[in-house]
């Protein structure tokens, strides 16, 4: 008995000494790495950059709380390949793995031409340019009134007939799509971006995935040129803009995002600006906006200054450089931004709520905006109100919609809402604008605003207790589709005039929905 006590004590002392020994932390890390190698690496990549499963880096896991990550490792993830580990691993091992995947890498991983090209797959070579046999869709519905609905709950996309509100097709997407899918100008093809950097080209007529490529490790969004020749991808990790050939997604150019002094930056977002035949990118860590021209000949009135500016700023750039970059210095880093319909003004805000209007032609700020909280300008919309055009933006921190007169850039109304909102929508043919109350106790509410009186005329609660979010109108503006943002969620379709529900389709956390016509015509009521 006595011997056993001594033995127990010695073990306890040894364990305590091990805790104090700095080498034990090293041993702990090595054993966690070994666990990762044994159980996770085959799907998530030996370097945590992702593979068949998503990347396991803090930047990519931002949307997943650590507590939920413990649950996913223990219980697996329904409708995916992710198995449950609670029978195989102890709670301490699961916690160690969760800590490990939330630890930043000690170096910025490389994701250059070799990695991008190695990830590139053309699934349907015969569809790369669109095939002659399928000038029409394989389904019987108006291809311009089709919606894509991204179902974030189980990482699928539904193709929805926008006249009958019936699903035509449903397919598995890459893990965690984010941002709006971007259509080619005729609506035949669509390009999705996932947070892990996968770009997928999908044929809307044949309902097939054409090609895929991983353009970054942590991606913000993608845009497609109006001439359908290029796709540009803005990345957080690494600090690059990547230009792909739109037909087959092969790599054309990587633009390192750096200022003249060698400081690099994440890309806040990149958009196509049709009248300018250029892409516009805002940067998160350098106070600059970049305009990247994609046409072969400089637009009239633009050519000489453009070439001159570019060559002056980037030194030895050859004259024939494709995709020249023109830099616009701004006063603050831009997190979130929006354009007027003419793409002359960029209306941007930093996360601390400072807003400014930048004239892209004269290349400087021309007005400050009177904004508060954290305006979500990326979700802003414009409409004609009386003699002027107004810009309205929801706010991620305050229960208000800020309405700004774009003639004077003055705030003309702060409309109180039941809480901070995320997305706002309207349509040229509708007298109403819809905005969600995404955060707080009233997250199940959806406000409907009269665009003339600038007052809330109705507050809908499509499913009490569940978040109602993100609206998109059909082609004619006669119906508005609302998401119930829940794994056991739904798409609720409203008559846009009577504001009465007409149909409800069960769906798995339908996050965003995107109408082909409204997107390709750059409708003023929707995101671009
Ligand atoms: Fe988004 C679009 C940035 C968090 C759902 N979001 C965008 C776009 C940007 C952006 C720049 C426009 C891209 C495009 O369409 O080309 N989003 C950000 C953020 O900075 C933020 C606040 C933090 C982050 O983690 O990146 C953020 N976004 C979210 C979410 O938490 C949401 C609600 C759920 C999710 O999927 O992650 C979300 N974002 C969306 C959706 C769109 C979007 C559904 C497309 C809106 C549209 O109608 O076009």
């Amino acid at each position: 008995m006595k011997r056993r006590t001594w033995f127990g004590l010695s073990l306890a002392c040894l364990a305590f000494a091990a805790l104090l020994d700095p080498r034990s932390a090293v041993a702990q890390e090595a054993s966690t790495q070994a666990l990762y190698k044994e159980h996770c690496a085959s799907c998530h990549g030996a370097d945590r950059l992702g593979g068949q499963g998503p990347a396991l880096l803090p930047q990519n896991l931002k949307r997943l709380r650590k507590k939920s990550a413990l649950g996913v490792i223990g219980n697996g993830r329904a409708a995916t390949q992710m198995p449950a580990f609670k029978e195989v691993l102890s709670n301490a091992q699961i916690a160690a793995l969760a800590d490990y995947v939330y630890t930043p890498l000690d170096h910025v991983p490389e994701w250059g031409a070799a990695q991008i090209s190695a990830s590139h797959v053309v699934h349907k070579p015969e569809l790369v340019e669109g095939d002659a046999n399928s000038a029409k869709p394989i389904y019987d519905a108006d291809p311009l009134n089709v919606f894509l609905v991204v179902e974030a709950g189980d990482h699928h996309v539904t193709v929805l007939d926008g006249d009958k509100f019936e699903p035509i097709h449903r397919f598995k997407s890459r893990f965690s799509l984010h941002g709006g899918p971007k259509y080619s100008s005729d609506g035949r093809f669509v390009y999705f971006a996932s947070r892990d950097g996968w770009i997928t080209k999908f044929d809307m007529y044949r309902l097939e995935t054409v090609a895929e490529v991983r353009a970054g490790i942590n991606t913000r969004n993608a845009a497609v040129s109006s001439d359908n020749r290029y796709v540009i991808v803005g990345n957080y990790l690494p600090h690059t803009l990547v230009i792909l050939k739109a037909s087959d997604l092969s790599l054309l150019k990587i633009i390192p995002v750096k200022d003249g002094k060698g400081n690099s930056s994440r890309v806040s977002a990149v958009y196509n600006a049709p009248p300018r035949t250029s892409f516009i990118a805002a940067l998160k860590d350098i106070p600059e906006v970049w305009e990247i021209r994609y046409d072969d000949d400089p637009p009239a009135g633009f050519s000489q200054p453009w070439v001159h500016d570019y060559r002056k700023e980037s030194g030895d750039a050859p004259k024939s450089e494709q995709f020249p970059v023109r830099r616009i210095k701004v006063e603050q880093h831009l997190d979130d931004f929006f354009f007027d319909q003419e793409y002359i003004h960029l209306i941007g805000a930093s996360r601390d709520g400072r807003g400014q209007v930048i004239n892209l032609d004269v290349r400087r700020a021309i007005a400050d905006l009177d904004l508060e909280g954290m305006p979500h300008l990326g979700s802003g919309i414009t409409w004609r109100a009386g003699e002027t055009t107004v810009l309205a933006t929801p706010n991620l921190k305050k229960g208000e919609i800020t309405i700004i007169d774009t003639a004077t850039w003055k705030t003309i109304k702060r409309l109180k809402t039941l809480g901070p909102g995320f997305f706002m929508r309207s349509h040229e043919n509708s007298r109403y604008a819809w905005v969600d109350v995404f955060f707080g106790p009233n997250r199940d509410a959806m406000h409907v605003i009269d665009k003339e009186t600038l007052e809330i005329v109705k507050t809908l609660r499509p499913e009490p207790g569940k978040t109602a979010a993100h609206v998109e109108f059909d082609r004619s503006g006669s119906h508005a589709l609302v998401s119930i943002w829940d794994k056991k969620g739904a798409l609720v379709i409203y008559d846009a005039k009577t504001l009465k529900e007409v149909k409800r389709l069960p769906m798995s956390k339908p996050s965003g929905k995107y109408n082909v016509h409204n997107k390709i015509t750059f409708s003023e009521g929707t995101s671009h």
Side-chain angles (χ1 to χ4, degrees), residues 176-380:
S176 215
L177 297 181
H178 177 234
K182 303 292 156 61
Y183 295 102
S184 59
S185 58
D186 56 359
R188 164 80 194 258
F189 296 105
V190 68
Y191 300 83
F192 298 94
S194 83
R195 285 198 186 255
D196 281 354
W198 282 101
I199 305 300
T200 303
K201 176 177 181 176
F202 183 80
D203 185 333
M204 295 289 292
Y205 286 8
R206 296 284 297 269
L207 305 176
E208 303 258 26
T209 296
V210 180
E212 287 183 293
V213 68
R214 191 174 184 192
I217 295 170
N218 188 235
T219 287
R220 287 310 277 167
N221 75 330
V224 180
S225 61
S226 303
D227 58 13
N228 299 319
R229 289 196 293 168
Y230 309 113
V231 174
I232 189 165
V233 185
N235 289 323
Y236 262 13
L237 205 67
H239 294 175
T240 52
L241 281 155
V242 174
I243 300 180
L244 307 168
K245 199 170 164 192
S247 57
D248 65 356
L249 297 185
S250 55
L251 176 65
L252 286 177
K253 185 167 182 172
I254 300 177
I255 306 177
V257 181
K258 285 188 179 155
D259 64 10
K261 298 175 194 138
N263 302 311
S264 67
S265 174
R266 295 168 290 172
V267 177
S268 297
V270 60
Y271 294 97
N272 176 32
R276 309 182 74 83
T277 53
S278 59
F279 297 119
I280 311 278
L283 311 185
K284 209 170 171 90
D285 309 306
I286 299 175
E288 290 182 7
V289 169
W290 284 14
E291 181 162 11
I292 302 137
R293 214 191 66 219
Y294 57 71
D295 59 336
D296 296 332
D297 301 309
F302 228 79
S303 60
Q304 275 321 102
W306 185 293
V307 173
H308 173 73
D309 281 349
Y310 176 63
R311 290 176 63 79
K312 202 166 70 179
E313 281 169 18
S314 54
D316 56 0
K319 212 171 191 163
S320 60
E321 178 91 11
Q322 212 186 359
F323 311 115
V325 177
R326 187 162 80 154
R327 294 152 184 245
I328 301 171
K329 301 231 183 292
V330 290
E331 279 165 30
Q332 81 234 37
H333 306 108
L334 296 181
D335 277 294
D336 199 8
F337 59 107
F338 172 84
F339 298 95
D340 58 3
Q341 283 293 98
E342 293 75 31
Y343 285 82
I344 292 170
H345 297 105
L346 178 151
I347 300 108
S350 55
R351 276 287 174 253
D352 63 10
R354 279 192 57 210
Q356 55 184 263
V357 182
I358 293 146
N359 182 308
L360 293 167
D361 290 337
V362 300
R363 298 167 59 198
R364 61 179 171 78
I366 53 147
D368 283 328
L369 293 176
D370 177 18
L371 295 166
E372 287 177 4
M374 197 191 280
H376 193 212
L377 280 169
S379 255

Side-chain angles (χ1 to χ4, degrees), residues 59 62-63 152 176-182 195 220-223 236 268-271 284 335-337 351 374 376 378-379 396 422-423 425 438-439 470-472 485 509 511-514 519 526-528:
Q59 293 91 335
K62 249 183 26 216
R63 313 300 318 145
S176 215
L177 297 181
H178 177 234
K182 303 292 156 61
R195 285 198 186 255
R220 287 310 277 167
N221 75 330
Y236 262 13
S268 297
V270 60
Y271 294 97
K284 209 170 171 90
D335 277 294
D336 199 8
F337 59 107
R351 276 287 174 253
M374 197 191 280
H376 193 212
S379 255
L396 299 173
F422 217 107
F423 301 107
R425 278 289 193 278
F438 198 79
F439 305 96
H470 195 279
V471 179
E472 176 86 327
W485 206 288
K509 202 173 178 191
S511 57
K513 54 214 86 65
Y514 309 90
K519 295 294 176 203
T526 190
S527 60
H528 295 172

Side-chain angles (χ1 to χ4, degrees), residues 40-119:
C40 320
S42 60
C43 288
H44 297 281
D47 43 14
R48 289 160 51 199
L49 299 187
Q52 185 194 348
L56 297 179
L57 302 174
Q59 293 91 335
N60 299 57
L61 294 169
K62 249 183 26 216
R63 313 300 318 145
L64 186 73
R65 292 213 179 95
K66 216 179 199 176
K67 212 171 130 201
S68 314
L70 293 172
V72 174
I73 302 173
N75 304 318
R77 204 187 259 283
T80 72
Q81 308 280 320
M82 175 72 187
F85 283 99
K86 66 177 175 217
E87 305 299 336
V88 187
L89 300 175
S90 68
N91 284 348
Q93 287 174 316
I94 290 177
L97 275 175
D99 283 344
Y100 180 60
V101 300
Y102 280 90
T103 307
L105 294 178
D106 52 12
H107 62 285
V108 176
E110 198 177 328
W111 203 262
Q115 290 78 4
I116 295 173
S117 298
S119 71

